Every structure is written in C-alpha cells, then in structure tokens.
Amino acid sequence: MVKIRMYPAKNGDAFLVLETGQASTAILIDGGYGETFHTYFRGDLKALAASGNKLDLVIASHIDADHVVGLLEFFKFNGNASTPSLIEVDSVWHNSVRSIYGKGSITVGSEDLFILQAAASRGYPAVSISETVREISAGEGSSLGAALLAGNYHWNEGEGRRSLSADVGLGVRCPVPFDHKRALRIAPASFAATL
C-alpha cells in the first residue's frame, strides 16, 4: 500500500511517500519552507526512524524557496549522513550549480556565470522560520548543495556533480517499482507528454 502525506507549505510543496509492503520505502519530495520542516514533517521523520526505517530517497524538484528551504533546514538539522541526528538518508536527487558545472558540457554566458558564482558563494543563508516569499532562490539551491556535500550525502549518484534529467536518462534506480505504462494510462496528457 502506498500512502502519501502532503504537508502545509504555504505556496510550496512537501510530500512524504510511504510504501508499506514487504520492504518499506520512504521518499521525501520537496520540503516547503523551514517552517514546514520544523512544524510538520520533522516529527514524522523522527517516528519513521524510531520504527527502524530510513528515507530511501529525497527529491528536490527545483530550487524555488517554497520547495527547498525546508530540505535545507532538514539536512542542516540531520547533520552528517554517516551519523544522522534524525534519520538515515540513502540517496538525494537535487540539481544545483555543482551539478551544472560537474557535467562539463554546458556553455554559460558571462552574465549567467556571474549570477551562478554569486549564488554558489553564498553558503548557508540565515534562515528563519518566517521566511519571506521569493519565487526563485538559487542561493538556497546552492546552500542545499553545500549542506549535502558537507554532510557526505549520496547525491545525484555521487557527490552532486551529475545533473539528473529525463532527457539524458537518469541512470538512477528509483527504490519504488514504477509502471510507466500504467502511469501513461492514468496521467493527464500534459504529464504523459513529458515522460
């Protein structure tokens, strides 16, 4: 049985997907804002760990603040992957500046390069529970990447130097079996076109 928990994240997203068959699987998709982690899903992750489970996969869909700041707070709180303070995490999917640079085949213009370097140099921002709403947050995306690297998390099948996308093929085994034919039958046409 698959259970999906959707957490209050203001205008963002945060989901915990649990498959409770013979081999339990847990996937955290996005984290909303910092408040979403501290108020809503931190307790669920603690209970999951207390029952002997782990997060098989954490996915940051994109770098908008309303999707990644809660994940940034989670990884800062969780600490090092080898000695997590909350829950073990097997793998993380997050495309950041490091992923783009690590690919080595992307040409970046001087204006974009300046923006990317500025975002990458910010490190950990001071994040409060009452963040202001911002649409695009390359700083938080880079800070999440920095937290993953500092915590030695298994990120994009290594140290985050590989960019993951459907058009180049993920090459990453999802811990939950996925029936693409069934998904195409039940998915909206706009979603099916992207598979």
Side-chain angles (χ1 to χ4, degrees):
M1 176 191 294
V2 175
K3 296 179 183 180
I4 300 173
R5 267 220 152 119
M6 181 176 177
Y7 298 101
K10 297 180 184 172
N11 57 317
D13 290 311
F15 301 92
L16 182 60
V17 180
L18 302 167
E19 191 280 317
T20 57
Q22 286 183 331
S24 295
T25 300
I27 301 173
L28 180 63
I29 304 171
D30 291 334
Y33 289 104
E35 175 183 10
T36 309
F37 165 66
H38 291 290
T39 306
Y40 300 104
F41 70 87
R42 180 175 160 182
D44 286 348
L45 296 182
K46 183 177 181 179
L48 195 63
S51 66
N53 293 299
K54 63 185 175 187
L55 283 173
D56 296 279
L57 180 63
V58 175
I59 300 172
S61 65
H62 60 286
I63 61 168
D64 288 356
D66 57 344
H67 292 256
V68 300
V69 175
L71 294 178
L72 176 58
E73 289 291 297
F74 162 62
F75 283 107
K76 286 169 46 178
F77 182 87
N78 208 41
N80 196 288
S82 61
T83 57
S85 65
L86 184 59
I87 191 168
E88 180 184 346
V89 176
D90 272 355
S91 189
V92 180
W93 292 355
H94 165 58
N95 289 331
S96 71
V97 173
R98 181 179 181 88
S99 305
I100 295 169
Y101 283 139
K103 193 171 183 179
S105 63
I106 296 174
T107 304
V108 179
S110 60
E111 187 176 312
D112 291 335
L113 181 61
F114 174 77
I115 292 168
L116 290 171
Q117 288 172 333
S121 69
R122 288 185 182 158
Y124 293 112
V127 179
S128 69
I129 287 180
S130 59
E131 296 92 352
T132 58
V133 175
R134 290 176 290 166
E135 289 189 24
I136 299 174
S137 47
E140 283 83 358
S142 292
S143 295
L144 176 56
L148 295 171
L149 189 61
N152 295 311
Y153 286 92
H154 186 70
W155 165 31
N156 290 10
E157 290 302 291
E159 295 178 342
R161 292 199 182 273
R162 180 164 180 230
S163 183
L164 302 180
S165 67
D167 61 331
V168 297
L170 290 175
V172 177
R173 185 181 58 80
C174 181
V176 175
F178 184 72
D179 181 349
H180 290 84
K181 289 179 183 177
R182 182 173 183 272
L184 289 173
R185 285 193 309 269
I186 63 172
S190 60
F191 174 75
T194 65
L195 289 178

